Amino acid sequence: MTSTHLDTTTTPGNGSASSHGKTILIGEHAVVYGAPALVLPVLDARVVATVTPVSGGAPGHTLESTVHTGPLDLAPAAVMPTVTAVTATLRHFGVTDRHFHVRVDSEVPTARGMGSSAAVAAAVTAAVADALGETLDADTHHDLIQECERVAHGRPSGLDARGVVAAVPVWFEGGRIEPVALGARFTFVVADTGVPGHTRQAVAAVRERHDQDPVVVDAVIDRIGALARRARGTLEAGDAQGLGATMDAAHDLLSALDVSSADLDRLVDAARAADALGAKLTGGGRGGCVLALAADDDHADRIAAALRGAGAAATWTTTIGARA
């Protein structure tokens, strides 16, 4: 069971909860072939859901978000995972006679590999439960998020569902998911290229290369898996320099799989020019985000400024582990 980082605030009749984004520290693409992966919570990219009872015999639920504002039953396909978050939670508690206004405020961008749909589902399901005066245990919460993720993605791995409620990195291997102990405080900067990631195309391209030359691609996959194991060791030992080196090496291997892009490489170069301890693309690639490791908070500010100067559409700084 993972460590949970989900805030709820109870007010009689109302409910609220928050979650956060996530990203891949090491292991993207290789995890598809059975290699391990490390998922990093992005605590500063938050989603807040607020649920308020609808009075006066209103006929149904309403939603307020950047994608859709209006009756829930008229919501477009893009927010069906959010609709599912409301209806599945009410069904779980056997509630059929109450209607709510649901507001979602999200700082997690879509199509960037940051777990946007899972983060919204995590916040909304917990907020609906809160409005009912209930609390979701970790396993039930995960199952509800996964139900929403199946609407969004078909066959979700569960990485996003775990990452958006975790306070520490999550280790994923062979279906086993567990939190990773931290030996020190680590500070990361996430930078958005402003270009949507193309995960399906990137995964398909790697699959095609694997079909054509399995020996070469399997060797790269094995090396990424080894880097993930090494990265876990550096987290547990509190070795930021060692972790940064694994991140640099992972980016080079992902580039060898042709899942980077000019936009991603430009931001990686900018982070390294700002003396980041390590920098790499994160997620499916061919767009999306870059992840950089900083020495401390001031260094993170300098890296973030350099990334924005190099064209990043947005940056987030996330700190995990013991505070200095």
Side-chain angles (χ1 to χ4, degrees), residues 83-185:
V83 174
T84 301
V86 176
T87 58
T89 306
L90 292 173
R91 184 179 68 247
H92 171 75
F93 289 111
V95 175
T96 60
D97 59 349
R98 297 180 64 182
H99 297 120
F100 296 101
H101 176 74
V102 180
R103 174 172 173 161
V104 177
D105 295 292
S106 178
E107 299 171 347
V108 183
T110 60
R112 299 297 194 276
M114 291 182 67
S116 174
S117 62
V120 170
V124 171
T125 51
V128 171
D130 190 35
L132 297 173
E134 304 281 357
T135 301
L136 296 168
D137 64 73
D139 289 338
T140 301
H141 195 201
H142 175 73
D143 289 344
L144 288 171
I145 299 169
Q146 281 292 85
E147 183 172 346
C148 302
E149 285 288 270
R150 283 190 288 274
V151 173
H153 302 297
R155 297 177 61 185
S157 67
L159 286 180
D160 285 9
R162 297 294 187 187
V164 299
V165 297
V168 296
V170 176
W171 178 258
F172 181 88
E173 183 175 15
R176 188 179 81 254
I177 298 176
E178 59 190 34
V180 176
L182 298 171
R185 181 176 186 257

Side-chain angles (χ1 to χ4, degrees), residues 146-221:
Q146 281 292 85
E147 183 172 346
C148 302
E149 285 288 270
R150 283 190 288 274
V151 173
H153 302 297
R155 297 177 61 185
S157 67
L159 286 180
D160 285 9
R162 297 294 187 187
V164 299
V165 297
V168 296
V170 176
W171 178 258
F172 181 88
E173 183 175 15
R176 188 179 81 254
I177 298 176
E178 59 190 34
V180 176
L182 298 171
R185 181 176 186 257
F186 294 88
T187 300
F188 299 87
V189 179
V190 182
D192 179 7
T193 62
V195 178
H198 295 86
T199 300
R200 289 190 179 185
Q201 294 92 322
V203 169
V206 173
R207 176 67 67 186
E208 183 177 357
R209 290 190 64 181
H210 185 269
D211 292 343
Q212 294 172 351
D213 199 346
V215 174
V216 170
V217 174
D218 280 342
V220 175
I221 296 300

Side-chain angles (χ1 to χ4, degrees), residues 45-67:
R46 288 165 55 84
V47 175
V48 177
T50 307
V51 175
T52 307
V54 177
S55 59
H61 308 288
T62 57
L63 175 65
E64 181 181 351
S65 72
T66 57
V67 179

